[in-house]
């Protein structure tokens, strides 16, 4: 008798009532071959785990507690459950993103409220140990902003293929590149300054080494390319085909179809924009804007020929079938009701 294939689990980051949401903690979804998603239940009751990350080799999940200024670790338990692993670790104001080193040596956290970038060293079991703050950001555009200084607002970390770490600061309009030094933490390598007021938010690295960035404030996409060890800005363009509205904000960017297309979520207009990757990964050309299937598309995930879009305010994850020739969403094939989803992260 053939045993059934193991199902794919997707963790959902969420907002709980302390963050204005309706969830109870980290959610667990089962992803089926037909693209549909199934709600399994709350994997761990915890306060506003708005972003989660998965250890590369161990059954361990890390989550922010955005309103509680903490980062927490959980160990897999049973079919889809998560149980606390060690004590919560202190973080900064509005800790909104967490990422894990591909070698399992450390976790990084970005704090939107006060701009802190933090590193937590990991033990052999994936537990968080020493907390190491990185150097604070200095606004490179300070001369353009008379009056009150702009608040640094770290928002995301990206583990680069060469072992370095890149972080966004949407308050200071910069990308910061770091080296990891055991026992010291993140040591500054260099910065890439983006135009004033753009607000770089999330990033993804293309297979050619270039990094694609979506900006929250200006709703644009940028490409930075590694040149002799430092990243240089080589492209700036609109994130959508039809342009953005005054109240729009960029959310997430990801890749699909072996890096041939990029997908950007825009809150406000509530669309997913498909952009074709051209000129060997140095250009992004908008192809089509599609209604995202709900209200406030906070995060999305391309999984094969499926696009899953998490809508924070309408409590649903919409799943689209993607056209293999154009990369564009064709139709909503499934709509799952789930409370206040803010991130979709495969369990690995």
């Amino acid at each position: 008798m053939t045993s059934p294939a193991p199902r794919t689990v997707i963790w959902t980051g969420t907002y709980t009532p302390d963050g204005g949401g309706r969830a109870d903690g980290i959610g667990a979804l089962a992803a089926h071959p037909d693209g549909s998603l199934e709600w399994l239940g709350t994997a761990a009751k915890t306060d506003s785990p708005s972003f989660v990350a998965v250890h590369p080799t161990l059954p361990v999940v890390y989550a922010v507690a955005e309103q509680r200024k903490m980062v927490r670790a959980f160990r897999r338990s049973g079919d889809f459950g998560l149980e606390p692993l060690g004590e919560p670790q202190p973080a900064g104001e509005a800790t909104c993103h967490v990422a894990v080193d591909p070698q399992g040596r450390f976790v990084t956290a970005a704090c939107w409220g006060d701009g802190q970038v933090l590193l937590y060293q990991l033990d052999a079991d994936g537990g968080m140990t020493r907390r190491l703050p990185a150097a604070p950001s200095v606004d490179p555009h300070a001369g353009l902003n008379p009056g009150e200084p702009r608040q640094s607002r770290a928002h995301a970390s990206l583990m680069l293929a060469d072992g370095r770490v890149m972080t966004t600061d949407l308050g200071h309009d910069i990308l910061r590149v770091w080296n990891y030094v055991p026992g010291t933490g993140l040591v500054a390598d260099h910065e890439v300054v983006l135009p004033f007021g753009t607000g770089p938010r999330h990033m993804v690295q293309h297979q050619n080494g270039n990094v694609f960035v979506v900006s929250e404030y200006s709703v644009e996409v940028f490409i930075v390319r590694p040149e002799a060890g430092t990243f240089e800005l080589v492209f700036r363009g609109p994130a959508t085909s039809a342009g953005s509205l005054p109240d729009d904000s960029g959310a997430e960017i990801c890749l699909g179809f072996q890096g041939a297309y990029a997908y950007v979520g825009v809150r406000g207009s509530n669309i997913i924009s498909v952009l074709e990757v051209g000129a060997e990964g140095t250009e992004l050309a908008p192809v089509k804007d599609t209604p995202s299937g709900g209200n406030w598309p906070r995060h999305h995930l391309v999984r094969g020929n499926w696009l899953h879009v998490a809508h924070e305010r309408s409590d649903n994850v919409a799943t689209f079938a993607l056209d293999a020739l154009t990369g564009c969403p064709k139709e909503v094939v499934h709509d799952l009701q789930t409370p206040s989803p803010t991130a979709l992260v495969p369990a690995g």
Side-chain angles (χ1 to χ4, degrees), residues 115-160:
Q116 287 193 72
V117 176
L118 303 168
L119 181 142
Y120 303 86
Q121 293 186 324
L122 300 180
D123 61 26
D125 296 323
M128 293 183 291
T129 57
R130 191 175 178 186
R131 173 182 179 269
L132 300 167
S137 172
V138 176
D139 188 354
H141 297 293
L144 300 177
N145 189 55
E148 289 295 321
R150 296 196 302 170
Q151 174 63 54
S152 168
R153 298 199 182 279
H155 202 282
S157 302
L158 176 66
M159 302 298 163
L160 298 172

Side-chain angles (χ1 to χ4, degrees), residues 12-90:
T12 65
T14 67
Y15 277 127
T16 56
D18 73 322
R22 292 155 294 283
D24 293 323
I26 301 171
L29 310 179
H32 298 295
D34 64 356
S36 64
L37 300 176
E38 174 189 357
W39 169 251
L40 297 176
T42 299
K45 291 188 175 182
T46 184
D47 294 324
S48 288
S50 59
F51 208 87
V52 303
V54 176
H55 192 283
T57 58
L58 299 173
V60 177
V61 174
Y62 305 91
V64 303
E66 184 167 331
Q67 311 304 320
R68 307 298 183 187
K69 299 189 291 185
M70 293 187 297
V71 178
R72 291 171 168 158
F74 299 88
R75 182 189 291 114
R76 289 285 297 267
S77 173
D79 191 18
F80 64 85
L82 295 170
E83 59 184 18
L85 173 62
E87 295 297 319
Q89 297 295 311

